[in-house]
């Protein structure tokens, strides 16, 4: 009697806990004026002050993004006819720095004139070695489960027919409750990040 051949599909997941080593801070400047020129000029002056403040602190990258100017519209209560009553300009300053300096950079930017923020993002500069560890753990888990199932079903594994990899990581965010420049120093205490990887392996079986 010939051996029967088939397949066995299993999924393995690996997770690695890693302390973040980089902070990404995004501070926005919003200004208004009666004309577009007034709003833009006020924004440029204030944004430059924020740039000077954060650039004076340890960092490994300062950039701007999201520059825009838009009309401020008021609708007449009776006719709902729109009327432009001014203009609003926005610009954002983005900073990459070490975790230890994140609070200082954030507070300095706010004190210099930033009045909006999406908070602080914690991340890892080089995720590759940690992702490799997660992937190895995922493959080991999938292989172990395949062996358990094969032994229980009294079949033998002949090797992988196909392998599908789905990897990812999780980043942490810290959002400030207020942008009050007179407030105490912003506390920044990041937790570990989870770098995960998942593999789906289809083994050939014989039995």
């Amino acid at each position: 009697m010939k051996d029967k051949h088939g397949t066995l599909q299993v999924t393995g997941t690996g997770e690695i806990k890693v302390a973040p080593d980089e902070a990404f801070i995004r501070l926005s400047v919003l200004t208004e004026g009666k004309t577009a020129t007034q709003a833009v000029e006020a924004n440029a002056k204030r944004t430059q002050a924020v740039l000077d403040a954060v650039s004076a602190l340890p960092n490994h990258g300062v950039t701007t993004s999201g520059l825009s100017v838009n009309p401020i519209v008021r609708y007449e209560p009776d006719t709902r006819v729109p009327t432009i009553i001014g203009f609003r300009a926005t610009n954002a300053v983005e900073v990459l720095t070490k975790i230890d300096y994140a609070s200082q950079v954030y507070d300095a930017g706010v004190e210099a004139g930033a009045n909006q923020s999406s908070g602080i993002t914690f991340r890892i500069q080089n995720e590759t070695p940690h992702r490799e560890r997660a992937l190895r753990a995922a493959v080991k888990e999938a292989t172990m489960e395949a062996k358990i199932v094969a032994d229980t079903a009294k079949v033998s594994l002949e090797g992988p027919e196909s392998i599908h990899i789905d990897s990812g990581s999780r980043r942490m965010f810290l959002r400030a409750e207020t942008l009050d420049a007179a407030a105490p120093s912003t506390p920044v205490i990041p937790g570990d990040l989870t770098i995960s990887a998942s593999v789906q392996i289809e083994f050939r079986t014989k039995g």
Side-chain angles (χ1 to χ4, degrees):
M1 181 177 177
K2 292 184 178 181
D3 291 330
K4 293 182 179 180
H5 293 268
T7 59
L8 171 63
Q9 189 176 81
V10 291
T11 299
T13 301
E15 290 190 345
I16 304 297
K17 299 287 186 180
V18 185
D21 58 8
E22 182 178 66
F24 173 79
I25 302 109
R26 193 173 197 272
L27 298 163
S28 298
V29 175
L30 184 151
T31 54
E32 296 181 354
K34 290 184 178 180
T35 66
T37 300
Q38 289 177 346
V40 169
E41 288 179 349
N43 192 279
K45 183 178 180 179
R46 200 163 180 173
T47 299
Q48 187 60 55
V50 174
L51 282 169
D52 292 342
V54 300
S55 297
L57 294 169
N59 70 82
H60 48 273
V62 178
T63 57
T64 60
S65 68
L67 177 64
S68 67
V69 59
N70 295 287
I72 302 172
V73 178
R74 180 183 66 192
Y75 289 89
E76 298 299 329
D78 298 330
T79 63
R80 302 302 296 168
V81 174
T83 302
I84 295 176
I85 60 173
F87 291 84
R88 179 179 293 115
T90 59
N91 201 357
V93 176
E94 299 176 340
V95 187
L96 288 172
T97 189
K98 292 183 178 180
I99 301 292
D100 292 344
Y101 299 110
S103 177
Q104 297 177 45
V105 170
Y106 186 90
D107 291 341
V110 172
E111 186 175 354
N115 51 10
Q116 282 189 342
S117 175
S118 57
I120 302 174
T121 306
F122 300 111
R123 54 195 190 184
I124 300 165
Q125 291 189 60
N126 182 16
E127 294 185 353
T128 301
H130 309 297
R131 193 179 301 281
E132 288 177 357
R133 289 173 57 201
L135 191 56
R136 290 179 187 277
V139 172
K140 287 182 180 179
E141 181 182 87
T143 303
M144 180 185 67
E145 290 191 356
K147 288 180 178 179
I148 292 173
V149 173
D151 289 344
T152 305
K154 300 186 183 307
V155 297
S156 60
L157 297 178
E158 289 196 313
E161 182 77 18
S162 64
I163 301 176
H164 176 72
I165 303 172
D166 180 18
S167 59
S169 64
R170 186 176 66 200
R171 293 178 176 176
M172 292 186 63
F173 298 84
L174 171 68
R175 297 184 182 277
E177 295 296 329
T178 177
L179 290 184
D180 182 2
S185 178
T186 302
V188 174
I189 308 175
D192 288 345
L193 306 186
T194 300
I195 296 180
S196 62
S198 178
V199 296
Q200 188 178 83
I201 305 178
E202 186 174 30
F203 288 93
R204 296 186 301 273
T205 63
K206 181 176 69 174

